């Protein structure tokens, strides 16, 4: 009887041992029980669930030991790399001492880090590394964890409009999915570009998909130049951001205005202003340089609009004998709506001479001078021929009556 009871006791003990072993394996995870120590690190919480650039995110890691033996002198260290960093007074390393064998579930160790997300972080899964080492055998392992980041910033595309030697119109497009506040477009100092006006243009707010054009007055710009611009803006978190974009100058159109002297008289000189471009020029204004010539009266004339290939005349009261050349400033609005200015040096002939106007078949569209002198001459000749014809007709009619 006693032998039978002993056998039952041994069998029951084996059953309990087997069940306990299976339960421990379930608690310890897929790796089950292992000899020695076996430290695991898991990211169990991220607050907020989506990190924001320029702000903090709290990370909670669980440290467990699925081995039977202690993990002696266990150290945990967060590896700082973009876009994650710790504040200067926060240590990246934490010493847990000896981590007990079988410390799983509620018996695991918890390590927390408060991490700052760089303000230039992009929207994606960004990896952060956490490593551990044990003192017994110098074992060291680093694991990576994905941290979700929501980029509240946006993106800008820059391109040029119709560039001239004196200005660069910059097309600014918000191609990102977020709005931007207090947008500034800046032309910084750089070799090969001489700034003639403001280097910072304040745009204000620019929603996603919106665009604007800002023009920068410059000189010494050539085809092939790579011009650097900066875009500064404030994102949805109130963080000030900076982007750098380069624009390459492809072509610079020829100034579509040609100025020549039509006639140089004893008291006045007439200039011809020709639109040699392919589009209309609007609100054309001619201004004569008074430093080289002594103009009696106004040195400015409003010439109106000029169609492609047309010309107009501008007459100023001064004699050509005063100077051999002068500067004429012509201001106009091109087909893109941009106000442009060109200064041309014009050679002045002796009084009585005429250089004429190269019109290439165009017409005189002067708003101030009316039709050309050639037109008046043709009209006069036509009238004279009509009068002669009428007189001849009357005489023949009179002779016919006398003969009857």
């Amino acid at each position: 009887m006693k032998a039978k009871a002993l056998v039952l006791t041994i069998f029951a003990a084996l059953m309990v041992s087997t069940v306990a072993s299976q339960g421990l394996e379930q608690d310890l995870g897929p790796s089950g029980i292992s000899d020695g120590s076996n430290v695991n690190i898991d990211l169990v919480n991220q607050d907020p669930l989506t990190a924001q650039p320029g702000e903090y995110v709290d990370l909670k890691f669980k440290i467990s030991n699925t081995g039977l033996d202690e993990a002696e002198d266990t150290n945990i260290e967060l590896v700082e790399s973009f876009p994650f960093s710790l504040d200067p007074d926060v240590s990246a390393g934490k010493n847990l001492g000896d981590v007990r064998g079988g410390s799983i579930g509620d018996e695991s160790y918890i390590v927390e880090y408060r991490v700052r997300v760089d303000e230039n972080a992009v929207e994606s899964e960004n990896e952060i590394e956490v490593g551990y080492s044990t003192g017994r055998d110098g074992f060291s392992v680093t694991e990576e964890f994905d941290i979700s980041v929501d980029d509240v910033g946006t993106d800008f595309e820059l391109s040029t409009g119709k560039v001239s030697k004196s200005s660069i119109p910059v097309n600014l497009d918000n191609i990102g999915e977020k709005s931007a506040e207090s947008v500034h477009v800046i032309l910084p100092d750089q070799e090969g570009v001489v700034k003639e006006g403001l280097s910072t243009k304040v745009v204000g707010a620019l929603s996603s998909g919106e665009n604007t054009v800002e023009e920068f007055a410059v000189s010494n710009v050539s085809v092939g130049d790579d011009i650097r611009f900066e875009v500064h803006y404030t994102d949805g978190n109130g963080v000030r951001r900076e982007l750098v974009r380069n624009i390459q100058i492809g072509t610079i159109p020829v100034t579509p205005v040609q100025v020549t002297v039509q006639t140089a008289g004893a008291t006045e000189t007439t200039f011809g202003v020709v639109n040699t471009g392919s589009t209309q020029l609007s609100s054309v204004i001619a201004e004569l340089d008074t430093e080289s010539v002594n103009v009696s009266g106004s040195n400015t004339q409003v010439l109106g609009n000029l169609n492609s290939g047309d010309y107009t005349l501008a007459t100023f009261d001064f004699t050509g004998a005063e100077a051999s050349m002068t500067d004429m400033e012509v201001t106009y609005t091109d087909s893109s709506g941009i106000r442009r200015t060109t200064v041309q040096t014009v050679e002045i002939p002796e009084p009585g001479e005429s250089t004429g106007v190269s019109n290439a078949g165009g017409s005189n569209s002067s708003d101030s001078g009316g039709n050309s002198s050639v037109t008046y001459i043709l009209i006069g000749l036509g009238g004279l021929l009509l009068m002669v014809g009428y007189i001849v007709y009357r005489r023949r009619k009179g002779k016919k009556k006398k003969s009857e």
Side-chain angles (χ1 to χ4, degrees):
M1 189 69 179
K2 289 183 179 180
K4 184 177 181 181
L6 180 62
V7 170
L8 289 174
T9 301
I10 294 173
F11 179 76
L14 289 173
M15 291 294 294
V16 171
S17 176
T18 302
V19 171
S21 177
Q22 289 177 349
L24 184 59
E25 283 188 12
Q26 291 175 354
D27 290 339
L28 293 180
S31 60
I33 301 174
S34 62
D35 293 333
S37 62
N38 185 20
V39 176
N40 291 323
I41 303 177
D42 295 295
L43 175 63
V44 294
N45 191 51
Q46 173 184 334
D47 185 22
L49 291 177
T50 302
Q52 300 291 330
E55 297 187 358
Y56 289 97
V57 58
D58 292 321
L59 304 177
K60 182 182 290 186
F61 297 92
K62 182 175 71 173
I63 316 300
S64 57
N65 181 4
T66 60
L68 293 175
D69 298 335
E70 289 184 341
E72 297 179 354
D73 193 22
T74 301
N75 289 283
I76 308 298
E77 184 170 1
L78 183 140
V79 181
E80 296 181 73
S81 61
F82 181 85
F84 303 110
S85 63
L86 298 169
D87 286 340
D89 58 343
V90 176
S91 174
K94 297 180 183 294
N95 182 267
L96 302 183
D98 298 334
V99 177
R100 300 181 304 276
S103 54
I104 58 175
D106 293 339
E107 300 297 323
S108 299
Y109 295 73
I110 300 297
V111 174
E112 298 184 46
Y113 287 100
R114 184 172 177 79
V115 179
R116 183 174 179 83
V117 185
D118 192 275
E119 61 187 32
N120 293 311
V122 297
E123 184 177 2
S124 64
E125 294 290 340
N126 292 270
E127 292 182 343
I128 193 169
E129 294 183 352
V130 178
Y132 73 88
S133 62
T134 57
R136 171 178 290 180
D137 50 11
F139 189 68
S140 179
V141 174
T142 300
E143 297 188 22
E144 297 178 345
F145 302 92
D146 289 331
I147 307 299
S148 178
V149 176
D150 181 18
D151 183 12
V152 296
T154 190
D155 194 12
F156 290 94
E157 181 178 77
L158 274 68
S159 60
T160 61
K162 294 187 177 180
V163 179
S164 69
K165 291 184 178 180
S166 60
S167 67
I168 303 176
V170 176
N171 302 319
L172 177 68
D173 293 276
N174 183 351
I175 61 174
E177 297 181 355
K178 307 293 194 309
S179 296
E181 300 292 332
S182 187
V183 180
H184 294 180
V185 184
I186 300 173
L187 176 62
D189 294 334
Q190 55 197 288
E191 185 178 355
V193 178
V194 178
K195 294 179 285 188
E196 301 292 349
L198 295 175
S199 60
T200 299
K201 299 298 180 73
V202 179
V203 177
L206 207 62
S207 300
S208 174
E210 287 189 335
N211 67 291
T212 186
V213 178
E214 300 295 334
E215 187 164 3
F216 293 84
V218 297
S219 61
N220 293 350
V221 175
S222 303
V223 174
D225 286 350
D226 218 25
I227 311 299
R228 186 176 75 258
F229 289 88
E230 295 178 3
V231 181
H232 297 189
Y233 71 97
T234 302
D235 67 16
N237 280 340
V239 176
R240 197 68 180 161
R241 299 193 178 210
E242 299 179 8
L243 299 176
V244 178
R245 297 289 183 268
N246 284 23
I247 299 178
Q248 188 174 62
I249 306 302
T251 59
I252 298 178
V254 177
T255 302
V257 176
Q258 178 184 349
V259 179
T260 59
V261 174
Q262 177 76 357
T263 59
T267 60
E268 63 181 23
T269 301
T270 300
F271 295 85
V273 181
V274 186
N275 178 1
T276 59
S278 59
T279 59
Q280 184 190 63
L281 304 181
S282 305
S283 304
V284 182
I285 299 175
E287 183 176 348
L288 196 64
D289 178 25
T290 56
E291 293 185 1
S292 56
V293 293
N294 184 20
V295 180
S296 177
S298 176
N299 69 319
T300 302
Q301 287 195 18
V302 178
L303 306 179
N305 301 335
L306 275 177
N307 292 325
S308 174
D310 284 356
Y311 75 95
T312 187
L313 301 177
T315 301
F316 297 91
D317 294 333
F318 79 94
T319 174
E322 292 183 4
S324 60
M325 60 180 57
T326 187
D327 287 339
M328 173 79 74
E329 180 180 282
V330 181
T331 306
Y332 60 92
T333 301
D334 65 15
S335 59
S336 64
I338 297 176
R339 195 70 177 160
R340 302 188 185 276
T341 299
T342 177
V343 178
Q344 297 191 18
T345 300
V346 187
E347 185 177 349
I348 303 174
E350 293 294 330
E353 295 182 4
S354 176
T355 60
V357 176
S358 175
N359 188 28
S363 61
N364 183 348
S365 62
S366 171
D367 292 339
S368 59
N371 293 324
S372 67
S373 58
V374 176
T375 304
Y376 286 118
I377 293 173
L378 291 176
I379 292 174
L381 289 175
L384 182 59
L385 289 173
L386 287 174
M387 290 181 64
V388 171
Y390 179 74
I391 292 171
V392 171
Y393 169 76
R394 293 290 296 176
R395 285 182 178 179
R396 287 182 178 178
K397 186 175 182 182
K399 289 180 180 180
K400 186 176 181 182
K401 286 183 178 181
K402 287 180 182 183
S403 63
E404 292 176 352

